[in-house]
Amino acid sequence: MTRSVYVAGVGRGDGRQVVELGMMELLTRQVERVGVFRPLAHDEADPVFDLMRARYRLSQAPGSVLGMRYEEASAVQAEHGTDELVSRLVRRYHDIADDYEVVLVLGSDYADTSIPAELSLNARLANECGAVVIPVVGGQGHTADVLVPEVRNALHAFTSLGCDVLAMVVNRVGDAHAQQAARELGGHLPVPVYVLPEDPALSAPTVSQVRTALGARVLMGDDSGMARDVRDYVFGGAMLPAFLPALTPGALVITPGDRADLIIGSLAAHSAGAPAIAGVLLTLGERPGDETMALAARLAPGTPVLAVDDGSFRTAAELATLEGRLTAATPRKADIAVGLFESHVDGSRLTSRLSVAPTGRITPMMFEHMLIERAQSQRRRVVLPEGAEERVLRAAEVILRRGVCDLTLLGDEAVIRRNIAELGLGLPLLAPDEAPGQAAHAQVIDPVTSPLRDRFAEVYAKYRAHKGVSVELAHDVVADVNYFGTLMVQEGLADAMVSGSVHSTAATIRPAFEVIKTAPGASIVSSVFFMCLADKVLVYGDCAVNPDPNAEELADIAIQSAATAAKFGVEPRVAMLSYSTGTSGTGADVDKVRTATEIVRSRRPDLLIEGPIQYDAAVDPTVARTKAPDSPVAGQATVLVFPDLNTGNNTYKAVQRSAGAIAVGPVLQGLNKPVNDLSRGALVQDIVNTVAITAIQAQDQDRGREQ
């Protein structure tokens, strides 16, 4: 029977979307097929499902999610009674349930409905669907003294109606009351209780959401600017000297469109980072002149300037109740929500109580979850030399929110802080003399001005003395961010390094070859990509480092790649690729692959390996039955070793682009300490995944040294 989890609120404004998203995160770690069902909604469109569908690559059709609209439900209940309403909704649940291992049921929202006793209806639906229930209690504006009895009452309400309550969640609790509420509720109820604090970044609307709510026109601003959070509103009426001190970080400046002084002053302050604002909203239908707009574009390119016809008072009234929403258009808020859930909810305990049997194989989504979870388990410090780059900063926010690892960002601190403010990111940086707390944290080091530069120059000069490198020359070399980051790893000031989003592979890994060098027993440094296809994860090697390996080197690449695959949960079945399968072809290229295969068999007789073999025979069971019917690898290979860099690099990019695969890597193997390269086309999620892999490599190396 399909298992189901019912997330149910007890009233409005509880922000339960955070819990719904967090539960989807937990469920997709365990099973391959997770469905979504929303019994009641106001509209056919479901922004939360659209977000889940995009984030978790769900195959479920949007039209199958909704049970019925409130309007229809109210009519059914009035005409035929509650029993008939429940019966119809449960039938619609079962219409989709059989297709999934687990169904996440999203309870009703209590907003402007004509359904009486809505809590009882949710409880009954949960019972009829055989679902365990997670009630969510809204804690906004409440003290701990008020929240404790509310949670007890909510638990009693659901259990008295026969519900099997999995856990209770209290959401949006003010910081001053969250710890006290957690202490008073913990251990005093028969089910786990989790308290999630209010996160202003979730409740803040984006500039884009303000635009939609007001029907505003966009006079200026790019996508990045429209995605900024609006954390405050500042109304401009005073003269500029009195107005500027009122600006706050993330504020939306609201002023009549004829106040060119306030418009230019706000944008100039933003450009100087004192402070960085979210944007400017012009009222009264007034549009500044062309000269003013041209100056605005030069001062703060990308910063939104919106315009509405209403006056400031009416505009303020409309904005007063506007809150941020989790949608597919706000992936950053989704990352914040998941990070908040993971930080305050014991996911292992929850999934254990849920008793969902994990799927036997690793899907791409499970692979990505596994990376984050393993990295979180023993936090390491990773240095990111490209600390001022936009994608790196966006990835850093995700990494810290989710507690993947601690970070050191290299670069000019003033530039990094300005870029963080410009992007509207919640990326707190430790001051030079500030001690880190419990949460994942970041620090900034400028290689040019750091006291470590002199020390690193002496260290590097010793490593390269045989090449005639003096301390004076080394002093210039180590100011390069990749050399500085590599030396941090070598000197034990960081556990690992990830670079390459704006640097070439050579610029990223050359310092590692010179300083960190190869690991004991490794004769070559090579790389793999984890290729996350629609239904499986494959390992491709070597697609980034060695142009034309000989047979011995190819054998080393195969053994290293199999070890890396196993380390990350992919059972290694190695295919040594060529343009020929078995004994059907001859020539130097085929002979090289054949020799490499024999070397691997002699050195690692425990490995399942086949070669030479063509790609189609390696991965397609139908082709394998014809070309290699007796092979234990053909048709089900998981580790594919390419004969040269030209073939490997082109193939991984072709698969990535044409099949929509996510390529994680390149992940370097064979180095004495973890250093990994990024593709210069890497997306934010690619950087997050690569940093997680690198942190896990650091964990494994530490365990190896301890043993």
Side-chain angles (χ1 to χ4, degrees):
M1 179 178 173
T2 304
R3 291 284 284 160
S4 56
V5 182
Y6 200 116
V7 179
V10 297
R12 296 184 61 179
D14 53 29
R16 84 197 65 150
Q17 294 82 5
V18 173
V19 181
E20 292 168 349
L21 203 62
M23 285 307 302
M24 178 60 77
E25 188 84 17
L26 286 182
L27 294 172
T28 51
R29 291 179 188 179
Q30 299 294 310
V31 299
E32 181 180 354
R33 293 176 292 111
V34 181
V36 179
F37 179 64
R38 188 184 293 280
L40 298 169
H42 293 280
D43 301 304
E44 297 285 343
D46 192 328
V48 173
F49 174 72
D50 291 342
L51 168 60
M52 290 178 176
R53 193 165 186 260
R55 183 180 179 90
Y56 300 104
R57 300 190 280 280
L58 305 181
S59 59
Q60 184 177 353
S64 68
V65 174
L66 178 61
M68 63 178 70
R69 296 177 62 181
Y70 273 106
E71 229 172 42
E72 179 189 356
S74 182
V76 170
Q77 189 173 40
E79 188 172 348
H80 302 287
T82 302
D83 288 349
E84 178 62 20
L85 172 61
V86 170
S87 177
R88 292 189 190 187
L89 290 173
V90 171
R91 278 202 302 273
R92 295 189 186 184
Y93 163 81
H94 285 294
D95 286 343
I96 68 163
D98 290 344
D99 295 330
Y100 302 98
E101 295 163 270
V102 181
V103 176
L104 179 62
V105 186
L106 314 179
S108 62
D109 61 12
Y110 298 84
D112 303 320
T113 74
S114 54
I115 302 290
E118 202 162 336
L119 186 149
S120 298
L121 178 61
N122 280 287
R124 184 168 173 190
L125 287 171
N127 291 336
E128 297 291 350
C129 294
V132 293
V133 182
I134 302 179
V136 182
V137 177
Q140 190 178 32
H142 295 325
T143 64
D145 293 340
V146 172
L147 286 173
V148 171
E150 279 198 18
V151 173
R152 291 179 183 275
N153 289 338
L155 176 61
H156 175 73
F158 279 96
T159 54
S160 66
L161 292 167
C163 292
D164 180 5
V165 175
L166 179 69
M168 300 287 296
V169 176
V170 193
N171 192 28
R172 303 190 69 179
V173 182
D175 284 341
H177 306 287
Q179 288 187 355
Q180 183 185 345
R183 279 196 307 270
E184 293 189 19
L185 289 166
H188 296 295
L189 292 177
V191 299
V193 182
Y194 302 108
V195 178
L196 276 59
E198 176 81 73
D199 191 320
L202 286 175
S203 55
T206 64
V207 177
S208 181
Q209 289 171 340
V210 168
R211 173 207 176 186
T212 301
L214 299 179
R217 301 181 297 281
V218 180
L219 305 184
M220 188 176 95
D222 58 18
D223 290 343
S224 179
M226 296 297 290
R228 293 178 192 166
D229 289 335
V230 177
R231 286 175 273 164
D232 193 9
Y233 299 105
V234 176
F235 292 87
M239 298 304 291
L240 189 61
F243 169 75
L244 288 177
L247 293 177
T248 57
L252 181 67
V253 173
I254 302 173
T255 184
D258 59 358
R259 290 297 302 272
D261 58 332
L262 300 187
I263 298 167
I264 296 302
S266 301
L267 296 175
H270 171 86
S271 180
I277 61 174
V280 178
L281 175 62
L282 307 180
T283 60
L284 298 175
E286 295 282 347
R287 189 186 191 284
D290 292 342
E291 296 84 358
T292 301
M293 291 304 299
L295 179 56
R298 288 196 296 274
L299 277 172
T303 295
V305 176
L306 312 180
V308 294
D309 294 330
D310 282 334
S312 296
F313 180 81
R314 196 165 181 176
T315 300
E318 290 189 60
L319 293 175
T321 57
L322 182 63
E323 287 198 338
R325 299 180 67 194
L326 290 170
T327 70
T330 58
R332 178 174 165 265
K333 285 188 184 296
D335 286 324
I336 293 170
V338 170
L340 182 68
F341 185 86
E342 290 178 335
S343 299
H344 296 88
V345 174
D346 186 342
S348 298
R349 184 182 181 190
L350 214 53
T351 50
S352 173
R353 284 175 58 83
L354 186 57
S355 301
V356 174
T359 300
R361 64 196 183 93
I362 294 183
T363 66
M365 183 59 62
M366 291 177 192
F367 178 73
E368 291 185 48
H369 288 325
M370 178 269 291
L371 296 180
I372 300 298
E373 200 167 14
R374 283 183 59 182
Q376 290 168 332
S377 66
Q378 292 179 308
R379 233 167 52 218
R380 293 294 183 262
R381 175 169 295 280
V382 177
V383 58
L384 304 178
E386 299 156 329
E389 218 281 321
E390 177 180 343
R391 288 166 295 158
V392 171
L393 289 174
R394 291 191 183 281
E397 182 184 41
V398 176
I399 289 163
L400 296 184
R401 289 273 188 182
R402 301 194 64 180
V404 174
C405 63
D406 297 324
L407 296 174
T408 297
L409 306 174
L410 299 186
D412 184 317
E413 182 168 357
V415 172
I416 290 173
R417 288 186 180 275
R418 185 168 65 247
N419 289 352
I420 289 170
E422 175 74 24
L423 295 168
L425 302 179
L427 184 58
L429 303 177
L430 291 181
D433 56 349
E434 184 180 355
Q438 293 288 322
H441 60 276
Q443 62 176 170
V444 176
I445 296 178
D446 185 348
V448 176
T449 60
S450 171
L452 291 170
R453 184 176 177 182
D454 293 337
R455 169 182 161 184
F456 286 174
E458 293 183 2
V459 171
Y460 182 72
K462 288 179 183 177
Y463 279 115
R464 304 298 287 171
H466 65 289
K467 293 290 186 180
V469 175
S470 64
V471 173
E472 290 75 16
L473 177 58
H475 195 261
D476 291 333
V477 172
V478 301
D480 175 89
V481 289
N482 285 314
Y483 275 94
F484 193 95
T486 302
L487 284 157
M488 285 190 70
V489 175
Q490 180 63 14
E491 291 294 289
L493 301 176
D495 299 300
M497 183 181 98
V498 174
S499 186
S501 68
V502 292
H503 289 93
S504 68
T505 295
T508 298
I509 66 176
R510 185 186 299 115
F513 288 161
E514 294 179 1
V515 174
I516 291 176
K517 305 184 185 300
T518 57
S523 62
I524 191 173
V525 173
S526 63
S527 73
V528 295
F529 279 90
F530 289 95
M531 301 298 293
C532 299
L533 301 170
D535 59 346
K536 58 188 170 184
V537 177
L538 300 178
V539 177
Y540 283 11
D542 171 10
C543 305
V545 179
N546 297 285
D548 188 18
N550 60 35
E552 184 74 31
E553 291 170 335
L554 201 59
D556 283 347
I557 291 169
I559 292 170
Q560 288 179 349
S561 300
T564 300
K567 194 178 295 182
F568 289 94
V570 178
E571 182 183 352
R573 294 186 293 272
V574 184
M576 305 293 283
L577 299 176
S578 177
Y579 59 77
S580 168
T581 296
T583 59
S584 65
T586 58
D589 292 336
V590 181
D591 291 342
K592 177 179 80 169
V593 175
R594 185 175 290 117
T595 302
T597 304
E598 293 308 317
I599 293 171
V600 173
R601 283 179 175 143
S602 65
R603 288 170 54 186
R604 287 289 307 277
D606 58 307
L607 273 181
L608 290 176
I609 186 167
E610 186 65 56
I613 187 170
Q614 292 161 288
Y615 190 99
D616 58 349
V619 300
D620 189 322
T622 303
V623 177
R625 282 194 292 270
T626 302
K627 293 188 174 182
D630 300 322
S631 171
V633 170
Q636 50 184 341
T638 57
V639 178
L640 296 109
V641 180
F642 294 91
D644 53 60
L645 184 60
N646 180 54
T647 308
N649 193 269
N650 277 297
T651 302
Y652 108 75
K653 287 181 177 175
V655 172
Q656 180 187 31
R657 300 301 175 187
S658 61
I662 296 172
V664 181
V667 177
L668 299 185
Q669 34 191 34
L671 281 170
N672 211 17
K673 293 185 178 183
V675 171
N676 279 319
D677 183 32
L678 295 165
S679 164
R680 275 170 282 182
L683 303 176
V684 170
Q685 190 57 45
D686 299 334
I687 299 173
V688 173
N689 289 337
T690 302
V691 169
I693 282 178
T694 310
I696 294 167
Q697 288 179 311
Q699 293 171 357
D700 289 343
Q701 287 205 343
D702 288 346
R703 278 193 288 267
R705 281 191 287 269
E706 289 169 3
Q707 292 170 358

